[in-house]
């Protein structure tokens, strides 16, 4: 019977339905095409940058990543100091930012009443909206002098025996870059942490309270221990942001390609050398070497962000599906 | 009834969510080793009521309570009373199994003991063993105590949560529809368990299932729209209810 | 027992105080940065800043009119290029987003969005600047690449907020899918989508790194889109690194303009969204 009904209905309407299908199909193809455009864009970025970087990668090979030699006149390039600068400044940023971000996320999600968490949350989110260049300007003219005259003398006195805090206070340098980066990645880490904490069911918190846990014990057992993998994902996302951050770092890190353990010393990162030298590259090989650094930065950002997103989404799925 | 064998005494309890008056003037006495079932339609305050008994209700933003609840003669809403201490004397099992996702089976049970300051490892092990036996779970998990609590089935998870609550040996156990998320077989095992528990502790259980109340409880209270309409021996509530509203409900003429 | 209890209370208090302290630490930088930008920027800003061209090094006065116009042109071009494209991609990911392809493309878009902006600059350098030189077009192209994934993802999220019954109602009326999307779903998500677009604009307006070697910079107004073109962020950067006090002053004024722009857009979109939500619920 259903067969009869469907055939009698299908015949008179057939042509019109086809038209509808056609319009729908065209619309679908168009929007799908634009979405595929994203993939095309990403792939062409890889191809274009790879092509430009190839001469330098071919010339120096693996040596490019393990030697510290940036001689623009002698056309000899090794990026080790830049890699060190990027990694070290990011580590300093994480050391400062991770406790602050996790703390503010806990405070906003778990402790603060609504009337307080909304405006404070806004202040933290706004940190992400301020342009990098403004952080650079502030870092260079406000933070660096402050570090030089107030913070670094204090650190030298308290921890001067550590090689990290050795030498004369300069203000501008690795420490300054790390602090500015910490401010810039805090909203990223905090907001992902907040998402992660929010994915934990209320019942898990009540389980702890019902057992007679204090508020802190509840946070430790029900929130922090439950969300370790999600928080790791958040930190990796912040790390990805720190790796690629350019302008603010360029303005406060001192821009010298050197590997010094002291955080007071100037340094150079992969991103900052691009900002400094790309527009005025001395030779084709120099330009290619710079592009190779950009390529490296690109690949690292793809890997770091890809894995972090994977970890966070897996965590959220687990929380949604499980309890 | 004499006050001597009453473990929990509720006196003129009112509770609110914001402006919503969720519990209206509840007074009731629960005796030692009772199993008391709270029945009634959804949203009538049963869960709110037991959440007032361990001061969990006030954790919700905008929630308020007034009145007195005496646990073993002490007013838990009295001045200077710390909910943290009270909740150790009165365990709770929730509607959905909620083991701590970050902890192993063993740690899920041990956590309450550790919070209480029990340091001695053998002592903790002994209590965990007892609690898991008490929750009829020991035989099923004794070989995988280090695995995450979430790896168990739903019914096992719920018994794990019961073990977690029992481990600190509270005199009273609150259960908020503990079988509503479970299949009939798991439900049966938990009902059996409750029968065994009443030898040692007092159980107050919310249920939407009248047969369940009839099976396990010796006393039953009927809630409607935030009021405790009637409370009495289970048999009396089901066979000879005094209030017409109770009769309508237990004979299925409600709504 | 009593000792353990007191110790737990103490640990609880200390830890909660610590969390509160960390939260204060997180909220303070925004104040500190904006107070300094306000203080130094207000001292340096004047009407001339918006209407005059830059003066030579060490000279008093002058402004950044060329940079403001350049920024407006490049951000405008980027908006024109990226909004239709990004919106369409957002529609695909929200309305046809259950397939494996869609999930893969969503992931791609996320990766694009988190690509360091300096890398985007290199890409556009290799794609355009190598052949035609520094230009407003190249700058706009770089900003487009940055804006595109943001537009796509935010519009996707806003479209997803539209409840399914809106779509079902349309389909039940016999409307084709595309009409349901264009006539019913998009209008329902309008305020959210516009909010997302505004935030994306605010984000690219402050971008410096991708313009450094695409649009380069210019001390005068550009005569065509094929010339090197000044932009506010790059000009702020160049002036900030200059040894001349007058130029540093101008940099603070530029930073003030950028921050005000960003804060105003963020605040107003938030208020817009809140009033909309209040109305609908």
């Amino acid at each position: 019977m259903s067969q009869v009904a469907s055939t009698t209905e299908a015949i008179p309407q057939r042509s019109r339905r086809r038209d509808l299908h056609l319009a729908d199909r065209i619309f679908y193809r168009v929007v799908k095409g634009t979405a595929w455009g994203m993939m095309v864009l990403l792939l062409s970025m890889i191809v274009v940058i790879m092509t430009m970087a190839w001469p330098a990668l071919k010339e120096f090979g693996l040596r490019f990543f393990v030697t510290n030699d940036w001689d623009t006149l002698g056309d000899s390039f090794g990026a080790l100091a830049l890699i060190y600068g990027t990694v070290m400044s990011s580590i300093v940023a994480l050391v400062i930012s991770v406790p602050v971000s996790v703390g503010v996320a806990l405070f906003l999600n778990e402790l603060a009443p609504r009337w307080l968490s909304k405006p404070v949350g806004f202040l933290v989110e706004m940190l992400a909206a301020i342009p990098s260049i403004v952080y650079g300007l502030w870092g260079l003219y406000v933070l660096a002098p402050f570090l030089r005259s107030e913070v670094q003398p204090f650190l030298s006195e308290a921890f001067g025996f550590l090689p990290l805090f050795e030498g004369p206070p300069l203000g501008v340098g690795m420490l300054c870059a790390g602090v500015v980066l910490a401010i810039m990645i805090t909203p990223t880490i905090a907001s992902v942490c907040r998402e992660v904490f929010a994915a934990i069911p209320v019942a898990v918190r009540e389980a702890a309270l019902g057992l007679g846990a204090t508020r802190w014990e509840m946070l430790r057992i029900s929130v922090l221990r439950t969300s370790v993998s999600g928080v790791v994902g958040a930190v990796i996302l912040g790390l990805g942001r720190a790796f690629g951050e350019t302008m603010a770092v360029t303005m406060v890190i001192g821009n010298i390609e050197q590997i010094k353990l002291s955080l007071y010393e100037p340094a150079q990162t992969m991103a900052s050398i691009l900002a400094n030298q790309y527009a005025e590259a001395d030779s084709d090989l120099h330009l290619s070497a710079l592009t190779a650094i950009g390529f490296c930065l690109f690949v690292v950002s793809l890997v770091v962000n890809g894995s972090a997103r994977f970890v966070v989404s897996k965590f959220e799925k687990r929380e949604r599906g499980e309890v | 009834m004499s006050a001597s064998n009453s473990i929990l005494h509720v006196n003129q309890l009112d509770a609110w969510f914001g402006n919503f008056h969720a519990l209206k003037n509840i007074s009731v006495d629960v005796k030692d080793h009772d199993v008391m079932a709270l029945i009634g339609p959804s949203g009538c305050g049963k869960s709110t009521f037991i959440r007032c008994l361990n001061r969990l209700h006030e954790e919700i933003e905008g929630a308020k309570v007034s009145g007195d609840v005496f646990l073993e003669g002490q007013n838990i809403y009295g001045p200077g009373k710390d909910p943290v201490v009270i909740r150790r004397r009165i365990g709770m099992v929730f509607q959905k199994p909620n083991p701590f996702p970050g902890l192993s089976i063993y740690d899920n049970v041990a956590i309450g003991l550790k919070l209480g300051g029990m340091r001695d490892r053998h002592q903790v092990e002994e209590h965990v063993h007892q609690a898991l036996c008490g929750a009829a779970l020991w035989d099923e998990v004794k070989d995988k105590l280090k695995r995450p609590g979430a790896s168990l089935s739903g019914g096992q998870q719920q018994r794990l949560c019961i073990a977690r609550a029992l481990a600190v040996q509270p005199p009273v156990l609150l259960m908020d529809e503990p079988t509503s998320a479970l299949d009939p077989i798991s439900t049966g095992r938990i009902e059996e368990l409750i029968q065994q528990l009443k030898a040692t502790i007092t159980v107050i259980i919310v249920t939407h299932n009248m047969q369940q109340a009839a099976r396990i409880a010796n006393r039953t209270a009927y809630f409607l729209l935030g009021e405790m309409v009637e409370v009495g021996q289970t048999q009396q509530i089901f066979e000879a209810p005094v209030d017409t509203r109770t009769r309508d409900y237990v004979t299925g003429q409600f709504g | 027992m009593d000792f353990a209890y007191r110790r737990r209370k103490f640990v609880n208090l200390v830890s909660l105080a610590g969390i509160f302290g960390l939260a204060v630490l997180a909220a303070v930088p925004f104040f500190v940065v904006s107070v300094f930008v306000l203080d130094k920027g207000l001292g340096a800003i004047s009407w001339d800043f918006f209407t005059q061209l830059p003066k030579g090094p060490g000279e008093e006065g002058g402004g950044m009119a060329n940079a403001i116009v350049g920024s407006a042109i490049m951000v405008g071009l980027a908006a024109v290029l990226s909004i239709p494209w990004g919106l369409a991609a957002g529609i695909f990911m929200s309305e046809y987003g259950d397939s494996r392809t869609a999930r893969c493309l969503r992931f791609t878009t996320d990766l694009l969005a988190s690509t360091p902006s300096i890398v985007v600059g290199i890409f556009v350098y290799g794609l355009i600047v190598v052949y035609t030189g520094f230009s407003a077009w190249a700058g706009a192209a770089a900003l487009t690449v940055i804006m595109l994934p943001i537009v796509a993802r935010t519009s996707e999220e806003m479209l997803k907020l539209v409840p399914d019954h809106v779509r079902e109602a349309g389909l039940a009326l016999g409307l084709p899918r595309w009409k349901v999307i264009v006539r019913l779903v998009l209008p329902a998500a309008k305020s959210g989508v516009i909010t997302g677009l505004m935030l994306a604009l605010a984000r690219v307006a402050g971008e410096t790194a991708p313009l450094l070697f695409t649009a380069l910079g210019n001390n005068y107004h550009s005569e065509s889109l094929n010339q090197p073109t000044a932009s506010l962020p790059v000009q702020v950067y160049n002036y900030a690194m200059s040894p001349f006090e007058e130029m540093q002053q101008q940099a603070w004024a530029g930073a003030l303009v950028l921050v005000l722009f960003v804060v105003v857009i963020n605040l107003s979109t938030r208020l817009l969204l809140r009033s909309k939500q209040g109305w609908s619920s």
Side-chain angles (χ1 to χ4, degrees):
Chain A
M1 185 196 132
S2 67
Q3 205 181 359
V4 177
S6 70
T7 43
T8 49
E9 204 179 67
I11 291 165
Q13 289 203 350
R14 197 166 193 176
S15 61
R16 214 183 128 225
R17 268 202 186 164
R18 266 224 170 133
D19 284 352
L20 288 183
H21 279 186
L22 184 68
D24 260 354
R25 269 217 306 274
I26 292 173
F27 183 79
Y28 176 73
R29 290 269 162 84
V30 169
V31 293
K32 192 174 184 181
T34 58
W36 272 102
M38 300 286 177
M39 179 70 86
V40 173
L41 193 60
L42 189 73
L43 292 178
S44 52
M45 281 176 78
I46 296 173
V47 170
V48 166
I49 297 174
M50 179 79 190
T51 314
M52 283 201 298
W54 189 243
L57 291 176
K58 203 172 65 181
E59 172 83 23
F60 303 112
L62 261 186
R63 198 152 48 95
F64 186 71
F65 300 103
V66 294
T67 57
N68 172 24
D69 171 27
W70 199 263
D71 182 3
T72 53
L73 300 175
D75 255 356
S76 169
F77 301 102
L80 189 63
L82 313 172
I83 295 169
Y84 173 78
T86 297
V87 171
M88 195 64 183
S89 59
S90 303
I91 289 175
V92 173
L94 285 186
V95 166
I96 302 171
S97 173
V98 169
V100 173
S101 309
V102 175
V104 75
L106 279 179
F107 179 74
L108 295 176
N109 275 31
E110 311 285 334
L111 302 177
R114 231 168 214 282
W115 60 266
L116 188 61
S117 73
K118 280 223 160 173
V120 175
F122 179 72
L123 286 180
V124 177
E125 280 170 38
M126 282 308 292
L127 283 178
I130 294 180
S132 174
I133 183 83
V134 175
Y135 282 112
L137 189 65
W138 176 79
L140 183 60
Y141 290 107
V142 181
L143 182 65
F146 176 73
L147 288 179
R148 185 176 56 224
S149 64
E150 308 293 331
V151 180
Q152 290 177 343
F154 166 77
L155 284 175
S156 297
E157 210 161 291
F159 306 105
F161 55 91
L162 291 173
L164 287 177
F165 304 108
E166 221 170 45
L170 298 169
V172 163
M174 190 71 99
L175 183 66
C176 192
V179 174
V180 170
L181 275 178
I183 298 175
M184 297 180 76
I185 64 176
T186 292
T188 306
I189 303 181
S191 79
V192 181
C193 281
R194 289 186 70 180
E195 268 176 47
V196 164
F197 295 161
I200 300 169
V202 182
V204 176
R205 296 178 177 82
E206 290 188 338
L209 292 176
L211 271 180
T214 63
R215 194 139 297 263
W216 163 246
E217 285 160 351
M218 182 274 279
L219 293 179
R220 220 185 52 200
I221 299 165
S222 301
V223 179
L224 290 176
R225 291 227 18 198
T226 303
S227 59
V228 173
S229 68
V231 171
V232 168
V235 172
I236 301 176
L237 272 181
L239 188 68
R241 205 170 159 214
F243 276 168
E245 188 46 58
T246 310
M247 296 320 296
V249 175
T250 306
M251 292 170 81
V252 300
I253 203 167
N255 299 317
I256 296 175
E257 302 88 37
Q258 59 176 9
I259 301 177
K260 290 274 175 70
L261 203 51
S262 171
L263 298 180
Y264 296 173
E265 290 283 336
Q268 180 90 285
T269 70
M270 296 160 79
S272 71
I273 199 167
L274 293 173
N276 280 313
Q277 300 186 352
Y278 206 88
E280 294 130 24
D282 295 313
S283 65
D284 287 347
L285 194 61
H286 185 197
L287 187 73
S288 178
L290 288 168
T291 310
I293 287 170
F295 183 67
C296 194
L297 207 51
F298 192 21
V299 172
V300 169
S301 122
L302 290 180
V303 171
V304 165
N305 286 295
S307 53
R309 270 171 220 287
F310 180 71
V311 170
V312 171
S313 75
K314 210 173 145 190
F315 172 83
E316 284 176 353
K317 255 184 220 146
R318 191 192 83 186
E319 281 310 309
R320 270 200 306 272
E322 187 187 81
V323 185
Chain B
M1 64 196 66
S2 70
S4 63
N5 65 350
S6 146
I7 187 157
L8 201 66
H9 176 72
V10 180
N11 188 25
Q12 297 184 324
L13 188 75
D14 283 78
W16 293 264
F17 291 102
N19 290 325
F20 175 65
H21 198 169
L23 282 182
K24 296 167 191 159
N25 196 22
I26 310 276
S27 296
V28 69
D29 225 30
V30 184
K31 277 181 283 183
D32 214 358
H33 303 304
D34 262 356
V35 174
M36 179 182 267
L38 312 180
I39 60 168
S42 314
C44 278
K46 307 180 301 281
S47 294
T48 308
F49 175 68
I50 65 167
R51 291 167 63 93
C52 286
L53 301 184
N54 65 348
R55 296 190 59 174
L56 207 53
H57 176 67
E58 64 206 66
E59 297 293 337
I60 298 165
E61 209 167 323
K64 262 187 325 203
V65 189
S66 86
D68 301 314
V69 176
F70 294 90
L71 174 65
E72 299 173 311
Q74 294 208 32
N75 188 356
I76 65 169
Y77 286 101
K81 284 283 183 264
D82 185 352
V84 166
V85 177
I86 288 146
R87 290 176 193 144
R88 298 191 64 76
R89 303 289 299 153
I90 184 160
M92 187 159 193
V93 176
F94 296 80
Q95 190 166 357
K96 281 187 182 165
N98 55 356
F100 297 116
L103 302 183
S104 66
I105 292 172
Y106 181 88
D107 285 337
N108 256 289
V109 182
I111 188 79
L113 302 167
K114 288 179 181 165
L115 289 181
M118 193 182 285
R119 290 274 170 270
D120 182 63
R121 249 190 63 194
H122 293 292
Q123 208 183 349
V124 173
E125 268 173 25
E126 184 51 38
H127 277 76
V128 170
H129 174 238
Q130 267 177 21
L132 283 170
C133 289
L137 191 62
W138 175 255
D139 289 335
E140 291 159 66
V141 300
K142 63 184 173 199
D143 299 323
K144 47 181 180 180
L145 291 171
K146 294 289 162 222
R147 307 230 356 237
S151 65
L152 298 173
S153 74
Q156 288 174 325
Q157 286 190 22
Q158 192 62 301
R159 276 180 282 145
L160 179 64
C161 293
I162 294 175
R164 179 176 67 190
L166 292 178
V168 291
Q169 299 176 327
V172 180
L173 185 63
L174 308 172
M175 303 181 106
D176 188 358
E177 299 194 25
T179 60
S180 65
L182 304 181
D183 60 85
I185 292 171
S186 307
T187 301
R189 300 202 63 161
I190 287 183
E191 287 182 7
E192 249 171 66
L193 181 57
I194 294 170
Q195 294 294 351
Q196 293 161 17
L197 285 177
K198 74 179 169 195
T200 45
I201 64 175
T202 307
V203 177
I204 302 177
I205 178 171
V206 173
T207 176
H208 56 212
N209 180 337
M210 279 185 276
Q211 284 78 36
Q212 185 170 62
R215 280 194 299 266
I216 59 175
N218 60 323
R219 302 232 306 151
T220 296
Y222 174 56
F223 277 73
L224 184 65
L225 302 172
E227 286 178 67
M228 187 184 273
V229 174
E230 190 169 352
V231 58
Q233 296 299 317
T234 299
Q235 206 176 358
Q236 175 252 313
I237 292 287
F238 282 106
E239 289 171 8
V242 175
D243 196 295
T244 51
R245 292 170 293 176
T246 314
R247 183 160 54 232
D248 287 349
Y249 185 72
V250 297
T251 55
Q253 287 168 6
F254 178 82
Chain C
M1 173 71 197
D2 197 38
F3 172 74
Y5 171 68
R6 263 193 240 149
R7 208 195 54 137
R8 288 171 64 205
K9 288 305 249 190
F10 179 72
V11 170
N12 182 47
L13 258 175
V14 170
S15 308
L16 295 187
I19 290 173
F20 181 75
L22 290 171
V24 171
L25 261 178
V28 159
F30 180 73
F31 276 116
V32 178
V33 172
S34 42
V35 161
F36 274 100
V37 170
L38 265 180
D39 178 42
K40 303 218 174 190
L42 281 179
I45 207 161
S46 67
W47 187 241
D48 279 356
F49 179 82
F50 297 98
T51 57
Q52 299 288 306
L53 287 175
K55 289 268 172 64
E59 283 180 65
E60 284 280 333
M64 292 195 181
N66 58 333
I68 293 171
V69 172
S71 267
I73 288 173
M74 287 189 284
V75 171
L77 278 175
V80 169
L81 291 170
S82 66
I83 289 175
W85 183 355
L87 192 58
I91 288 176
F92 175 75
M93 291 188 281
S94 151
E95 305 301 311
Y96 305 96
D98 296 330
S99 65
R100 217 188 158 84
T101 332
R103 276 201 300 275
C104 168
L105 292 176
R106 192 175 296 135
F107 187 65
T108 308
T109 311
D110 276 343
L111 288 182
L112 266 182
S114 49
T115 300
S117 56
I118 189 99
V119 171
V120 173
I122 296 178
F123 168 60
V124 172
Y125 186 91
L127 194 72
I128 299 177
V129 177
V130 169
Y131 307 105
T132 64
F134 302 110
S135 68
W137 281 117
L143 296 185
T144 303
V145 176
I146 291 169
M147 200 168 160
L148 193 55
I150 309 178
V151 172
R153 283 299 258 141
T154 50
S155 25
E156 181 206 348
E157 258 148 47
M158 293 305 158
L159 288 170
K160 270 188 183 158
L161 290 182
V162 177
D164 267 340
H165 65 77
V166 172
R167 297 179 183 88
E168 281 160 11
L171 290 172
L173 283 176
L175 288 176
R177 191 89 185 242
W178 71 273
K179 260 195 185 159
V180 170
I181 294 169
V182 175
R183 292 275 177 79
L184 297 176
V185 180
L186 264 182
K190 199 173 69 184
S191 65
V193 170
I194 291 176
T195 300
L197 296 180
M198 300 291 285
L199 292 176
L201 275 179
R203 157 89 198 274
V204 295
E207 280 291 346
T208 314
L211 296 177
L212 285 175
F213 35 86
T214 53
L216 199 65
N218 195 328
N219 270 328
Y220 305 95
H221 286 292
S222 306
E223 279 157 26
S224 87
L225 297 177
N226 296 316
Q227 282 188 340
T229 303
S231 62
L232 197 51
V234 173
Q235 198 106 329
V236 169
Y237 172 59
N238 289 332
Y239 277 29
M241 304 308 270
S242 126
F244 299 101
E245 184 101 3
E246 295 80 7
M247 287 190 158
Q248 293 168 10
Q249 294 277 315
Q250 294 262 310
W252 281 105
L256 176 63
V257 173
L258 286 174
V259 169
L260 281 182
F261 184 67
V262 167
V263 170
V264 165
I265 286 191
N266 270 278
L267 267 181
S268 55
T269 51
R270 232 159 252 255
L271 292 177
L272 177 87
L273 262 195
R274 183 183 298 175
S275 65
K276 279 280 171 188
Q277 276 162 356
W279 170 77
S280 70
S281 67

